[in-house]
Amino acid sequence: MVNWITKIIKAGEKIKTALHERASKEDIAKSDWTSCCRGPILKKDLEQNLWVCPDCNKHHRIKPSQRFDILFGKNNYEVFKTPIPKDDPLNWTDSKSYKDRLKSARKKTGMECGMMVACGTINNIKITAVASDFDFLGASMAAAEGEAFLYGIQHAIENRTPFICISAGGGMRMMESLISLSQMTRTTLAINELKKNGLPYLVCITDPTAGGITASYAMLGDIHIAEPGALIAFAGARVIQGTVKEELPEGFQKSEYVEKTGFVDLIVERKDLVLKIGTLLSILLKQNSVISSEQNETSEDSQSLTRAAS
């Protein structure tokens, strides 16, 4: 009897030890493994497939540098140092000070703010691009991100390049209150200036894109491309369902559903993105042989894309 009780106690101690030694988020981030539909998968195997699961086709979230590697070729682009305004203009503190949150985010991502601006080429077309890092405070938008976006737009106008925005994030960063909300207006005005200069503005919507980001620069593109399965929303599904008191359609707020309702023009897999963007830009910039031929014959597809971009 005593022996049996002793075994139970020892088993309990082993369970406690196993739970105590469970890997932390930091340990998981540093690990060679991640997980998807079938369980553990080596990060290097996922990377070889552009961070897309070969089984379920889930497009995993990736960093701006990884996106630019895919678009322009590994390290084949220039990253710009964008202006960084004063940290924590409102001296915000909740469970943790905003300054500490920024410090942690910078250490985690290696970025000064949640947006990276770069310049590279696709099909010999010089392009200015901006991408967000969800690991930087959920890719929320504040003054520094607004400055980065405006820097990119200004560079595009001065150098006569198309501008590509790879959107992600949960909205405006409320630690900066009205300062963050004003970025919706600032980015909108900047995009209008880009269009006044006759330069294409393409948006590639990635998972997740929500809140004030969806309500501003992510939905102002000449053409909207989305990755498969990306969450595209303004308010959360539960909030909407509670407001309208109706059952929401299946797949509501996923890119496939949003495409059907007309807010997204194309859903493009990551492996096809470079080819698709190159084709679209050659049409919009009238560098496509079909458009620039001596007979000036334009295909029906080219005409529809041109109308969509006007």
Side-chain angles (χ1 to χ4, degrees):
M1 182 67 177
V2 175
N3 188 40
W4 178 72
I5 293 173
T6 304
K7 286 182 178 179
I8 292 177
I9 292 172
K10 287 183 177 179
E13 290 298 327
K14 286 182 179 180
I15 292 170
K16 284 183 181 179
T17 303
L19 290 173
H20 181 72
E21 294 178 352
R22 188 168 52 185
S24 64
K25 287 184 179 180
E26 188 175 348
D27 291 333
I28 294 171
K30 292 179 179 178
S31 170
D32 293 332
W33 296 83
T34 187
S35 62
C36 198
C37 57
R38 291 192 178 182
I41 180 173
L42 278 168
K43 288 180 180 178
K44 66 177 183 179
D45 292 339
L46 199 60
E47 183 178 7
Q48 288 175 359
N49 202 42
L50 305 181
W51 298 96
V52 177
C53 178
D55 295 316
C56 67
N57 202 41
K58 177 182 176 180
H59 283 53
H60 287 251
R61 296 171 187 171
I62 56 176
K63 296 184 173 297
S65 57
Q66 293 168 326
R67 293 199 179 276
F68 294 146
D69 284 345
I70 293 170
L71 281 180
F72 304 129
K74 196 168 182 65
N75 300 321
N76 193 28
Y77 51 88
E78 179 184 2
V79 176
F80 299 117
K81 184 174 177 60
T82 58
I84 302 294
K86 178 184 176 182
D87 286 349
D88 195 11
L90 304 179
N91 294 317
W92 178 279
T93 299
D94 42 56
S95 60
K96 188 177 180 181
S97 74
Y98 180 34
K99 286 182 179 178
D100 286 343
R101 292 184 188 278
L102 286 172
K103 185 178 179 180
S104 298
R106 286 166 178 163
K107 183 179 178 181
K108 182 178 182 180
T109 63
M111 295 170 58
E112 286 297 306
C113 73
M115 277 188 171
M116 181 183 288
V117 182
C119 186
T121 59
I122 296 177
N123 287 0
N124 295 319
I125 300 172
K126 193 173 181 180
I127 296 166
T128 306
V130 63
S132 298
D133 191 338
F134 194 79
D135 284 338
F136 197 105
L137 298 177
S140 52
M141 194 80 173
E145 287 73 24
E147 289 296 328
F149 192 95
L150 266 62
Y151 183 98
I153 292 285
Q154 183 177 355
H155 180 273
I157 292 172
E158 290 176 354
N159 293 273
R160 303 296 301 169
T161 73
F163 191 79
I164 295 176
C165 170
I166 304 171
S167 72
M172 302 297 111
R173 190 179 304 160
M174 286 296 95
M175 291 86 158
E176 294 190 21
S177 189
L178 291 177
I179 296 172
S180 67
L181 290 172
S182 69
Q183 307 312 314
M184 297 171 68
T185 306
R186 297 181 76 210
T187 54
T188 299
L189 292 172
I191 293 164
N192 287 343
E193 286 301 311
L194 183 78
K195 293 182 178 182
K196 283 179 185 177
N197 281 269
L199 298 168
Y201 175 54
L202 270 61
V203 181
C204 178
I205 305 171
T206 70
D207 181 72
T209 297
I213 292 173
T214 308
S216 57
Y217 64 87
M219 282 295 170
L220 294 174
D222 297 316
I223 295 175
H224 296 117
I225 300 168
E227 289 190 331
L231 174 70
I232 305 171
F234 178 66
R238 283 183 295 180
V239 174
I240 295 172
Q241 188 165 329
T243 302
V244 301
K245 309 295 183 185
E246 293 180 8
E247 198 69 28
L248 299 175
E250 186 178 354
F252 183 70
Q253 296 183 328
K254 290 295 184 180
S255 54
E256 290 79 6
Y257 184 88
V258 179
E259 182 193 27
K260 290 179 183 178
T261 56
F263 285 93
V264 166
D265 298 301
L266 299 165
I267 295 177
V268 180
E269 295 197 10
R270 203 169 282 168
K271 62 182 176 62
D272 301 321
L273 198 56
V274 173
L275 177 61
K276 186 64 67 174
I277 288 176
T279 301
L280 289 171
L281 288 179
S282 68
I283 292 171
L284 294 174
L285 296 170
K286 298 184 179 180
Q287 294 182 7
N288 187 283
S289 59
V290 176
I291 294 177
S292 60
S293 63
E294 292 181 0
Q295 292 82 10
N296 198 29
E297 294 178 354
T298 306
S299 68
E300 185 178 341
D301 288 343
S302 299
Q303 289 176 344
S304 63
L305 285 170
T306 305
R307 283 196 298 271
S310 63

